[in-house]
Amino acid sequence: MSILINEDTTFIVQGITGREAVNLTRECLDYGAGAKVVGGVTPGRLGREVHGVPVFDTVKQAVDHHGGPIDGSVVTVPPAFTKDAVFEAIENGIKLIVIVTERIPRRDVAQMVELASLRGARIIGPNCLGIIVPDVIKMGGIGGPAKDAAKAYTSGPIGVISRSGGMTTEMSSTLTAAGLGQSTAVSIGGDAIIGSSYAELMPLFEADEQTEGIVIYTEPGGRMEAELAKWVKENNSRLPIVAFMAGRFMDEMPGMSFGHAGTIVEGKEDTAAEKIARLAEAGITVAEEISQIPEIMKSKLGAPANA
Amino acid sequence: MRKDAIFIGIEVDDAVAGDAQLAAKLEEVCPVDIFAVAGGRVEIVDENLDECILCAMCIQAAPQGTLTVHKLYSNELLDAPA
Amino acid sequence: MLFSDMGGIDIEEVAETHPDHVGRRHFSNLLPISDFAAKECIASVGVTGSRLNRLTPILTRLARLFVERDMTLAEINPLCELEDGTFVALDAHMDMENEARPRQKALLHELGVGHEETRQAREATEFELAGEAVDAQDHRGVAGNVTEFDGDLGLVIGAGGGSLTLFDAVRKYGGKPANYCEIGGNPSVEKACGLAKLVLSKPGVDKIAVMMSIVSNTRVDIVARGVIKACLELNMDPAEKISIFRIPGAWEEEGFKILDHYGVRYADRTTSMHEAAKLAVEAS
Ligand code: SF4
């Protein structure tokens, strides 16, 4: 199986008439079994079509047209309008929201995440590329055009969680080349506040029969790795985890931000060195190079359970 | 009419280059503004040539065989869309 | 929100040495901020009586300021009690996040905070400002976040996570980067060219390494055109000046044709990012 989405998942694209959104819609329709993109929303564009997907003015119209609840939404509207779009999706019963938009103010993100948790919805992102279940479905721009995504991703036992969209593909491609396919790969976003962290996705992978191991991509900044380490220890997870940490050079440059907005090192706990130590304490191996990840994972998978 | 930059060259048959309607259409379809209308004629904008994304929209917009996009780095012609 | 009755020193230090003197409480970003949350937070470290009642509105208002003004940090430290029982802030520290600047324009103007004053730990160099100008020339994609370093190995790298990985990798193999940068979001040929030119023109830089993690939006052929064009316009030989080109992904077949034509050494996804970085260091 997979986590979060499967071949039956229905979703809409909010901001569907934007240049990137048009491409993303095409890619999702083309990939795997073909995503069920049941509508798009751009206010004022009711009646148009994007690659055969009907466009509506509101999420409500899309839900009414579909004639039942819609599972998800990919949100690609500009930062100033994202909060409203996400609220609209949540209040119309959508339970899985992938926010692609970058540079959304933190306060707005905090509000979206809070409303989502009140309503039992889940947010992936912001500033992410979405979710892919190899050979089945992708929700978001992850992996790019269907033929490129097919080169990098194959179905298999590894769950991938990454703070960088591009590195999700790089790592999955490395796993694929070594014969380790992926159950689901999730680009969780590079911002300081995101809807779903490693620790919040772990229970889903834990419950997924197909998944036998987890690979994560991580960076300096924030407390997400500490939370993951804590989760793994407290829940006695069955899943071996291999991590890769980029941006180690930033430890020497406190206060500077490189890469994603979330990477700024604000306190001692945020540094790469500190995070690597914490992950290691929880039994998570931090690979020096991406090319080592498959070997480390294979040896972990080969080891007797609960060793 | 033929214009070459470093990577991309475009040739528009002189028989259609004076067609004002075609000029307007090309100006509209090319996503990187390689065509402009000048005095009712097709004009190729030199400084944008190398930005061509090989989408073939221009080939599709012009009468068959009258517009060719040359990949100067591989001596190939861009195919018309299927 | 946090409250400590041991002010005057770094709060992280207090939290480590005297955790019982630090009250913490989450508050809602959706509901109006109400006094009770602050009161609970302050009372949790044992403050009571009129002090509690006087401190509560201070923390409430600070929290409100934090939310309404898009702060990433709003701290009063130390807060002092006068003999008559009233409180005075002796020092305060506020950080506003960059993303919120547009909607806090009025406040920033009132405070006299200029557009160029960022939270970066040092001022932008001339090289970095030139990088910003390259990125601003059109709206297609990104070729920016240029940061100057004092090494000699020029880097034209991307995207967010890829750049971090590659920069680490170059240093791991003993390379001394002349710069950090990020390409992403499918920039125009002109933008990629501008970035490559900037790096190639930096004093001390002999060669550039052009590397990214597998791309799915940015196009390999467009970046290849950009960096080759940069060499040609500077009257340099691309085959000599580009030590390695490692960008696999979207439109790679087309990109490799271009690189072949100019004799530039390139690698596909079977060469890992670290291997590519190593090649770049060896060639410099
Ligand atoms: S192929 Fe596309 S980008 Fe190139 S000139 Fe034609 S329309 Fe413009």
Side-chain angles (χ1 to χ4, degrees):
Chain A
M1 274 297 287
S2 54
I3 69 162
L4 299 167
I5 53 174
N6 59 43
E7 62 200 14
D8 298 322
T9 301
T10 52
F11 64 89
I12 56 170
V13 177
Q14 285 175 269
I16 192 165
T17 52
R19 187 171 76 121
E20 298 300 324
V22 169
N23 289 338
L24 173 158
T25 303
R26 170 84 274 157
E27 294 172 14
C28 293
L29 291 169
D30 287 347
Y31 186 73
K36 297 189 168 69
V37 187
V38 297
V41 177
T42 300
R45 302 284 172 86
L46 175 70
R48 292 211 188 185
E49 275 195 1
V50 171
H51 298 304
V53 174
V55 179
F56 304 96
D57 286 331
T58 65
V59 174
K60 186 170 187 314
Q61 287 170 359
V63 173
D64 289 346
H65 177 265
H66 183 60
I70 294 171
D71 299 322
S73 175
V74 177
V75 179
T76 65
V77 305
F81 309 107
T82 310
K83 184 174 85 177
D84 187 58
V86 170
F87 278 21
E88 185 183 0
I90 295 173
E91 295 304 280
N92 278 283
I94 290 176
K95 297 293 185 209
L96 177 66
I97 296 154
V98 169
I99 307 175
V100 175
T101 311
E102 292 179 45
R103 306 186 69 82
I104 308 171
R106 278 193 210 190
R107 187 215 316 175
D108 293 12
V109 181
Q111 292 180 334
M112 297 186 280
V113 172
E114 193 173 337
L115 184 68
S117 76
L118 282 174
R119 296 285 191 259
R122 172 182 295 282
I123 289 175
I124 303 289
N127 190 5
C128 79
L129 291 184
I131 310 162
I132 186 166
V133 178
D135 303 336
V136 178
I137 181 174
K138 73 169 192 136
M139 181 173 172
I142 189 164
K147 88 170 175 16
D148 290 316
K151 264 195 211 170
Y153 294 91
T154 48
S155 182
I158 308 299
V160 178
I161 315 174
S162 168
R163 282 170 70 173
S164 155
M167 293 302 288
T168 318
T169 300
E170 182 76 34
M171 292 195 307
S172 298
S173 171
T174 305
L175 289 166
T176 291
L180 287 172
Q182 305 85 44
S183 57
T184 307
V186 189
S187 154
I188 56 175
D191 283 359
I193 302 179
I194 53 172
S196 302
S197 65
Y198 306 116
E200 287 163 317
L201 292 176
M202 280 305 289
L204 305 183
F205 277 119
E206 190 81 21
D208 173 47
E209 278 176 17
Q210 184 187 341
T211 305
E212 292 168 25
I214 301 291
V215 169
I216 68 168
Y217 165 90
T218 166
E219 298 173 345
R223 310 233 133 72
M224 268 194 298
E225 292 75 13
E227 282 165 26
L228 172 66
K230 188 160 163 256
W231 189 92
V232 168
K233 279 199 256 177
E234 286 176 1
N235 292 276
N236 196 14
S237 172
R238 72 178 171 91
L239 300 169
I241 305 180
V242 181
F244 176 75
M245 162 81 60
R248 297 178 189 222
F249 69 94
M250 288 170 54
D251 282 8
E252 297 156 32
M253 323 177 79
M256 300 277 283
S257 170
F258 293 88
H260 300 108
T263 57
I264 189 160
V265 174
E266 282 169 338
K268 189 169 97 219
E269 279 181 43
D270 299 2
T271 61
E274 180 74 13
K275 287 183 178 203
I276 291 171
R278 270 177 199 255
L279 292 171
E281 239 174 76
I284 298 170
T285 310
V286 182
E288 284 290 313
E289 299 190 3
I290 293 164
S291 55
Q292 299 167 344
I293 295 174
E295 282 317 306
I296 299 173
M297 181 53 85
K298 279 180 187 167
S299 72
K300 287 199 170 209
L301 290 174
N306 74 21
Chain B
M1 167 182 37
R2 162 95 188 230
K3 286 217 174 145
D4 285 359
I6 303 174
F7 306 100
I8 300 294
I10 287 183
E11 184 161 13
V12 182
D13 205 317
D14 288 328
V16 296
D19 179 342
Q21 246 183 332
L22 176 65
K25 207 158 139 198
L26 290 174
E27 188 181 75
E28 194 199 307
V29 297
C30 177
V32 292
D33 303 326
I34 287 173
F35 302 97
V37 190
R41 296 183 57 86
V42 179
E43 190 183 57
I44 297 173
V45 183
D46 289 87
E47 65 265 29
N48 290 346
L49 267 177
D50 277 333
E51 298 286 350
C52 170
I53 60 166
L54 309 176
C55 68
M57 303 272 262
C58 52
I59 300 177
Q60 201 169 26
Q64 210 184 351
T66 60
L67 193 156
T68 45
V69 177
H70 300 253
K71 300 188 218 169
L72 303 174
Y73 48 86
S74 61
N75 253 322
E76 290 171 295
L77 283 181
L78 177 62
D79 292 331
Chain C
M1 57 174 73
L2 284 177
F3 177 84
S4 173
D5 56 355
M6 290 182 64
I9 43 174
D10 194 352
I11 188 70
E12 289 202 14
E13 205 180 312
V14 185
E16 246 174 57
T17 52
H18 298 89
D20 51 323
H21 283 273
V22 180
R24 291 166 204 263
R25 197 186 184 288
H26 286 282
F27 60 90
S28 169
N29 270 278
L30 279 178
L31 301 171
I33 296 170
S34 191
D35 277 335
F36 79 93
K39 196 168 60 190
E40 283 178 18
C41 180
I42 298 164
S44 73
V45 293
V47 175
T48 179
S50 68
R51 272 187 181 167
L52 176 63
N53 292 326
R54 284 193 161 154
L55 285 167
T56 297
I58 298 174
L59 184 53
T60 303
R61 270 178 249 169
L62 186 63
R64 233 174 250 157
L65 181 83
F66 172 84
V67 171
E68 283 166 10
R69 295 305 184 180
D70 291 297
M71 299 289 171
T72 56
L73 174 74
E75 178 180 5
I76 296 176
N77 188 9
L79 179 69
C80 287
E81 186 177 21
L82 302 183
E83 274 176 8
D84 66 358
T86 55
F87 287 90
V88 181
L90 286 193
D91 197 6
H93 185 118
M94 318 261 152
D95 284 330
M96 180 184 289
E97 72 161 336
N98 263 325
E99 277 71 12
R101 280 179 167 233
R103 66 184 188 195
Q104 298 293 352
K105 244 189 251 155
L107 176 72
L108 290 171
H109 182 76
E110 201 179 307
L111 295 174
V113 178
H115 178 66
E116 65 290 346
E117 291 175 59
T118 66
R119 290 189 58 211
Q120 290 288 11
R122 61 168 173 76
E123 276 189 31
T125 65
E126 228 172 273
F127 178 77
E128 288 163 0
L129 293 174
E132 272 177 39
V134 169
D135 194 43
Q137 71 188 18
D138 66 55
H139 289 285
R140 285 177 42 210
V142 180
N145 209 347
V146 179
T147 309
E148 182 165 10
F149 285 83
D150 51 17
D152 53 7
L153 178 54
L155 295 177
V156 177
I157 53 177
S163 289
L164 296 180
T165 303
L166 288 160
F167 197 89
D168 274 350
V170 165
R171 298 210 333 167
K172 183 180 169 185
Y173 288 105
K176 297 209 166 24
N179 68 291
Y180 173 90
C181 70
E182 286 169 15
I183 296 178
N186 199 14
S188 61
V189 172
E190 212 37 56
K191 227 182 214 184
C193 172
L195 176 63
K197 263 183 164 173
L198 176 72
V199 178
L200 275 168
S201 313
K202 191 179 174 219
V205 171
D206 180 34
K207 292 182 162 87
I208 53 169
V210 183
M211 307 181 284
M212 286 180 77
S213 50
I214 297 174
V215 292
S216 44
N217 180 21
T218 297
R219 278 172 54 162
V220 179
D221 60 333
I222 300 290
V223 180
R225 282 188 217 167
V227 295
I228 288 171
K229 191 171 176 198
C231 295
L232 299 177
E233 287 186 0
L234 293 171
N235 283 320
M236 294 170 170
D237 177 5
E240 191 196 313
K241 287 292 166 179
I242 301 171
S243 60
I244 180 78
F245 184 105
R246 190 270 185 195
I247 309 182
W251 292 78
E252 62 183 14
E253 301 84 359
E254 206 62 37
F256 296 161
K257 278 186 212 166
I258 301 174
L259 295 161
D260 272 330
H261 182 73
Y262 288 93
V264 176
R265 178 158 74 146
Y266 62 88
D268 63 11
R269 70 187 66 196
T270 57
T271 299
S272 76
M273 294 168 79
H274 281 80
E275 281 161 11
K278 195 172 162 207
L279 293 173
V281 174
E282 285 166 0
S284 74

